[in-house]
Amino acid sequence: MPKKKPQSKNETSPKQARDILWRKGLLKWKLDVLQKKIYDQFYDDSDDITTMLIARQTGKSFLLSVLATEVCLKKPNAVVKFVTPKLKMVKNILNKNMNVILADCPPDIKPEWKEGEKVWRFKNGSEIQAAGSDNQNYDNIRGGTCDLWMVDEAGFCDDLEEVVYSVLIPTTTMTGGRGLLSSTPDPKNPEHEFIKLFVEPADIRGRLFKYTIDDNVRLDEAEKAKIIARYPGGRSHPRFRAEYLCEIIR
């Protein structure tokens, strides 16, 4: 067996390289090929609000969590507001992804989850403030300033117009912050505010980002075929078209 080449004193180990990137707030390396493409498109987008239609199991919530973490690491006292359809989904969507992302975070910059406040608090004073759209829980993040706001599964949120235009957008007035809405369409509600107020206007302007099962690099062709076969009629089934092709079914 060949001997392992000794590491040079000036050579950076993988762990050291990761730590350097963590301290710079650069986490793109945690993403897959499609997520990196969406990441780049988000940062290249000149719109104040970015709208994305993304198929199931593409890793969209993980990507949003990475973007939120980067903002908080790069800017002391930054605020990210993160909204999910239901408050109980914060645990299953945001916190689950954050625990995966933070697995190799250096301890001295690693944020802590504050359950009572529903906040991920960073050592530099930055925060990810989480809320559900159900039962007007979004009022808990009303006010203050915000550098980035996100609505995950926006197509399933209650009071989306109120959440975006009354709660979130006003918090970016002094920061020049941006917003991002991401979801699959709800096949039972094609007239949802997400579709009418954000998806269709963005599509008309050529500013809608859309990714289907065909773009999903996490699945090989056999796995995609297996998913399609579960639906009577395959790709023509209305539920498949909504959940995996991001079509608005009317």
Side-chain angles (χ1 to χ4, degrees):
M1 180 180 294
K3 293 183 178 180
K4 186 177 180 181
K5 182 181 177 182
Q7 183 177 324
S8 166
K9 290 184 178 180
N10 296 324
E11 186 177 343
T12 303
S13 70
K15 182 182 182 305
Q16 290 171 327
R18 287 194 300 269
D19 284 1
I20 290 170
L21 291 171
W22 265 108
R23 295 182 191 286
K24 291 182 177 181
L26 300 174
L27 302 179
K28 184 178 177 181
W29 53 276
K30 286 185 170 284
L31 305 175
D32 65 30
V33 174
L34 178 59
Q35 289 170 332
K36 288 177 180 176
K37 178 181 178 180
I38 302 171
Y39 174 104
D40 288 339
Q41 288 179 327
F42 172 72
Y43 277 118
D44 290 341
D45 190 13
S46 58
D47 286 356
D48 289 339
I49 300 176
T50 300
T51 304
M52 297 182 175
L53 275 180
I54 306 182
R56 296 292 176 196
Q57 301 303 310
T58 311
K60 62 183 180 300
S61 298
F62 185 87
L63 167 62
L64 266 57
S65 301
V66 165
L67 290 170
T69 303
E70 282 194 342
V71 169
C72 289
L73 289 169
K74 289 177 180 178
K75 181 181 176 182
N77 301 310
V79 173
V80 175
K81 296 181 185 286
F82 196 109
V83 178
T84 58
K86 297 185 182 299
L87 182 60
K88 66 181 181 181
M89 293 173 69
V90 169
K91 180 178 180 180
N92 293 331
I93 293 181
L94 176 61
N95 289 1
K96 182 178 179 180
N97 286 316
M98 288 295 291
N99 287 329
V100 173
I101 293 166
L102 297 169
D104 52 12
C105 180
D108 61 305
I109 62 170
K110 189 173 183 178
E112 296 181 358
W113 172 247
K114 304 297 183 180
E115 175 63 28
E117 302 170 67
K118 298 294 184 291
V119 166
W120 279 96
R121 183 161 293 129
F122 289 71
K123 307 291 187 182
N124 65 356
S126 295
E127 293 183 346
I128 301 175
Q129 302 173 358
S133 70
D134 56 325
N135 301 315
Q136 298 183 333
N137 281 304
Y138 49 81
D139 279 334
N140 293 324
I141 59 171
R142 190 186 291 272
T145 61
C146 169
D147 298 273
L148 174 66
W149 58 260
M150 298 177 161
V151 184
D152 196 11
E153 298 292 1
F156 300 83
C157 284
D158 298 337
D159 305 330
L160 186 62
E161 183 175 13
E162 171 76 9
V163 170
V164 173
Y165 290 115
S166 294
V167 177
L168 297 175
I169 286 180
T171 65
T172 63
T173 301
M174 303 305 296
T175 64
R178 297 177 54 191
L180 189 159
L181 298 102
S182 172
S183 188
T184 53
D186 182 353
K188 296 184 294 184
N189 190 2
E191 306 304 322
H192 190 278
E193 292 171 327
F194 175 59
I195 304 300
K196 303 299 289 184
L197 298 179
F198 301 100
V199 172
E200 291 178 341
D203 194 23
I204 290 171
R205 293 185 293 108
R207 303 303 298 165
L208 175 66
F209 298 105
K210 181 177 177 179
Y211 308 93
T212 73
I213 188 174
D214 298 314
D215 301 306
N216 193 341
V217 297
R218 297 182 171 201
L219 302 172
D220 60 31
E221 292 307 311
E223 291 169 326
K224 291 176 184 178
K226 187 175 180 181
I227 292 171
I228 295 168
R230 292 173 183 159
Y231 291 81
R235 295 175 73 97
S236 65
H237 192 282
R239 293 280 179 165
F240 179 85
R241 289 165 57 198
E243 302 287 359
Y244 289 98
L245 298 180
C246 296
E247 294 183 14
I248 300 163
I249 309 301
R250 290 189 168 98

